[in-house]
Amino acid sequence: MMELAAYYGRERVRGSVYLAAAMSLLAAMVIWVYPSFADTFGEDELLEAYPPQVLQVFDIETMSSIEGFLSFELYTFGWVILLGLYLAYLAAGTIADDVDRERTDVLLTLPISRASVVAQTFAALAVPIVVVNVITPVVVFVSTRLVDHPIGVADLAAVHVFSIPYLFACAAIGLLASVVASRAAIAQRVALGAIFGLYMLESLLEGTDYEIVGAISPTRYYDPNAILLDAEYDLVGAGILVAATIVLVVVSQLWFRRRDV
């Protein structure tokens, strides 16, 4: 029943390990430089080093603790932006690339529905999402203790667990682009633009009269600051991301069923 997902998943293992290694290296570098920042500058001096626009866009609240530093340097930049863009780009190149290379016609000669192809292709994206969220927190845990600025285990685990619905939502946006666009390159550009545009929309409209518009952005429902600084776990937000992901996958299935390949 899930042979296609298993095949695509195996194909993504090596790339997922490389991705986890890259994010772990970024985490280690950020943690390694933190003590020099903390010893040299006070909180106000660190914040004053950034323009107000940067503080707003990246939602920087504090740099005086390892949690605040990681929230900006690793999780907002690395998880919310980089990984969000990467998963959307990866998903956007799935269905569309197979159509481009005329592999879909061969695949559909097998006893498998188009809806199942979409669902199993999407399911295989769990491999990079899970691998990066299993390996990297171990590096963060060890590294923060090596520099004598330990981070709480529960909050560290939560910031990664709650990132999983967010990353799946980003991937679902890419999946929809993949079934709608006529070419993989177009789908990937649309997916990247959508994720970055939604991130900027949420960041720039926060605190304004039009803040409600930012509710369409997945970044509204994953806040590393709230988890690491205040130990607040947004279960409702995670549920919204899960529901949005399901809706996007179902819409992608319906669209692909009607699409001429």
Side-chain angles (χ1 to χ4, degrees):
M1 291 293 291
M2 295 295 290
E3 291 84 358
L4 189 61
Y7 171 76
Y8 284 148
R10 288 193 298 269
E11 290 292 304
R12 298 198 183 282
V13 169
R14 178 179 296 182
S16 300
V17 172
Y18 292 154
L19 173 65
M23 298 309 295
S24 295
L25 179 60
L26 173 63
M29 290 175 59
V30 168
I31 294 167
W32 180 69
V33 302
Y34 172 73
S36 62
F37 276 84
D39 294 340
T40 304
F41 301 101
E43 177 183 0
D44 292 339
E45 291 173 303
L46 276 174
L47 294 181
E48 288 171 3
Y50 294 94
Q53 295 84 356
V54 173
L55 298 179
Q56 177 182 353
V57 169
F58 291 100
D59 193 25
I60 304 174
E61 293 187 11
T62 179
M63 302 282 277
S64 63
S65 66
I66 186 68
E67 291 84 2
F69 197 76
L70 281 174
S71 180
F72 163 50
E73 298 283 355
L74 179 61
Y75 292 109
T76 298
F77 178 69
W79 251 248
V80 175
I81 298 177
L82 291 185
L83 281 183
L85 290 171
Y86 175 77
L87 265 300
Y89 180 87
L90 196 64
T94 54
I95 302 296
D97 187 59
D98 283 346
V99 173
D100 274 354
R101 298 175 183 272
E102 299 182 350
R103 292 189 297 235
T104 303
D105 290 338
V106 177
L107 181 61
L108 293 177
T109 61
L110 302 173
I112 184 172
S113 68
R114 292 193 180 198
S116 183
V117 169
V118 172
Q120 293 192 52
T121 300
F122 182 75
L125 295 173
V127 174
I129 293 175
V130 171
V131 169
V132 75
N133 278 295
V134 168
I135 295 177
T136 310
V138 176
V139 174
V140 173
F141 177 83
V142 173
S143 299
T144 55
R145 277 151 180 78
L146 289 176
V147 299
D148 200 27
H149 288 277
I151 188 172
V153 177
D155 292 343
L156 175 60
V159 79
H160 284 275
V161 169
F162 279 87
S163 77
I164 292 175
Y166 168 75
L167 294 175
F168 269 116
C170 292
I173 292 173
L175 180 71
L176 181 59
S178 189
V179 300
V180 171
S182 57
R183 298 181 58 187
I186 296 174
Q188 289 165 337
R189 288 196 290 268
V190 168
L192 291 176
I195 296 299
F196 188 73
L198 288 170
Y199 174 82
M200 294 300 295
L201 182 72
E202 159 65 9
S203 299
L204 296 177
L205 293 182
E206 185 178 4
T208 69
D209 293 339
Y210 304 98
E211 184 176 7
I212 186 63
V213 179
I216 64 173
S217 174
T219 57
R220 169 70 64 89
Y221 309 103
Y222 174 59
D223 185 359
N225 274 322
I227 297 172
L228 292 176
L229 298 178
D230 304 317
E232 295 180 357
Y233 306 153
D234 188 1
L235 296 174
V236 174
I240 291 173
L241 289 172
V242 171
T245 298
I246 293 172
V247 169
L248 288 169
V249 172
V250 170
V251 171
S252 298
Q253 290 175 311
L254 294 174
W255 191 289
F256 191 58
R257 285 175 60 184
R258 297 174 179 272
R259 179 177 173 179
D260 181 13
V261 296

